[in-house]
């Protein structure tokens, strides 16, 4: 474990950085979901405005090419033609004006996400935490204790054995 301590910690820090970027980064899942919601809202608004546009195009084409539609609209606006009889009835209102309301402008909002430097800082801190944990395990296992030097007398090692 002593040899792979640094490499394992670097791998853990990198994996942590990638996970934070994947879930909460600029192009992560959190930002993706927010953008999908905005896309849904904008498509609904686009559909509503398209219906209004189709209705206005149809009305424009009818007014441009059909004289009866022009006469009907003129009567609706209060104009009379030759030969019409005017009758006024109190209490009746003929305000059939349609007000086309396309709504308020909807602008795309920048999604919430963690900046890149935060993800990198979390990755580096994960590296240090894992490295210190692995180092403490190696110290507890005794991998850093000094070993006693063997003494050789005449080519034969002498061991420190307890006397019986």
């Amino acid at each position: 474990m002593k040899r792979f301590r640094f490499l394992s910690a670097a791998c853990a820090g990198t994996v942590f950085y990638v996970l934070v970027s994947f879930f909460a980064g600029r192009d992560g899942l959190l930002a993706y979901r927010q953008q999908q919601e905005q896309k849904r809202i904008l498509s609904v608004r686009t559909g509503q405005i398209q219906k209004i546009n189709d209705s206005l195009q149809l009305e424009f084409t009818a007014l441009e090419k059909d004289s009866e539609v022009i006469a009907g609209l003129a009567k609706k606006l209060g104009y009379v033609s030759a030969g019409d009889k005017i009758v006024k009835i109190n209490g009746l209102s003929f305000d059939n004006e349609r007000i086309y309301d396309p709504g308020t402008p909807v602008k795309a909002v920048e999604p919430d996400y963690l900046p890149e430097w935060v993800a990198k800082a979390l990755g580096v801190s994960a590296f240090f935490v894992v490295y210190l944990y692995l180092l403490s395990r190696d110290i507890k296992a005794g991998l850093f204790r000094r070993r006693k030097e063997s003494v050789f007398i005449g080519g034969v090692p002498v061991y420190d054995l307890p006397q019986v």
Side-chain angles (χ1 to χ4, degrees), residues 3-163:
R3 290 184 181 168
F4 296 110
R5 179 181 339 109
F6 184 80
L7 191 58
S8 298
C11 181
T14 303
V15 166
F16 195 75
Y17 163 72
V18 168
L19 288 176
V20 168
S21 293
F22 181 73
F23 287 107
R26 181 181 180 113
D27 297 323
L29 291 179
L30 179 67
Y32 177 75
R33 285 190 179 142
Q34 292 173 5
Q35 289 175 341
Q36 286 295 96
E37 180 63 24
Q38 284 185 16
K39 180 180 175 184
R40 187 190 64 77
I41 291 169
L42 290 175
S43 66
V44 167
R45 294 292 299 140
T46 303
Q48 292 171 347
I49 293 173
Q50 186 63 41
K51 285 180 184 178
I52 292 172
N53 185 33
D54 292 343
S55 171
L56 289 173
Q57 282 291 343
L58 188 65
E59 205 172 305
F60 175 75
T61 305
L63 285 173
E64 193 175 46
K65 296 182 178 180
D66 194 0
S67 60
E68 291 179 9
V69 173
I70 295 172
L73 182 62
K75 287 183 180 183
K76 196 184 283 186
L77 293 174
Y79 294 102
V80 293
S81 62
D84 285 346
K85 295 181 182 178
I86 301 174
V87 178
K88 183 173 182 179
I89 301 173
N90 289 331
L92 292 179
S93 175
F94 293 104
D95 291 334
N96 289 349
E97 290 184 36
R98 279 191 245 164
I99 299 175
Y100 297 104
D101 181 23
T104 58
V106 178
K107 293 185 179 180
V109 179
E110 187 71 21
D112 297 328
Y113 60 89
L114 282 178
E116 188 69 21
W117 67 270
V118 173
K120 288 179 181 177
L122 289 173
V124 168
S125 58
F127 162 76
F128 281 121
V129 167
V130 171
Y131 184 74
L132 291 175
Y133 172 72
L134 293 175
L135 184 66
S136 68
R137 283 188 54 199
D138 286 348
I139 290 172
K140 285 181 183 177
L143 294 178
F144 289 104
R145 290 189 191 139
R146 290 191 178 173
R147 297 198 173 133
K148 294 183 181 180
E149 294 291 325
S150 304
V151 178
F152 291 94
I153 299 177
V156 178
V158 177
Y159 295 103
D160 189 18
L161 298 174
Q163 298 293 325

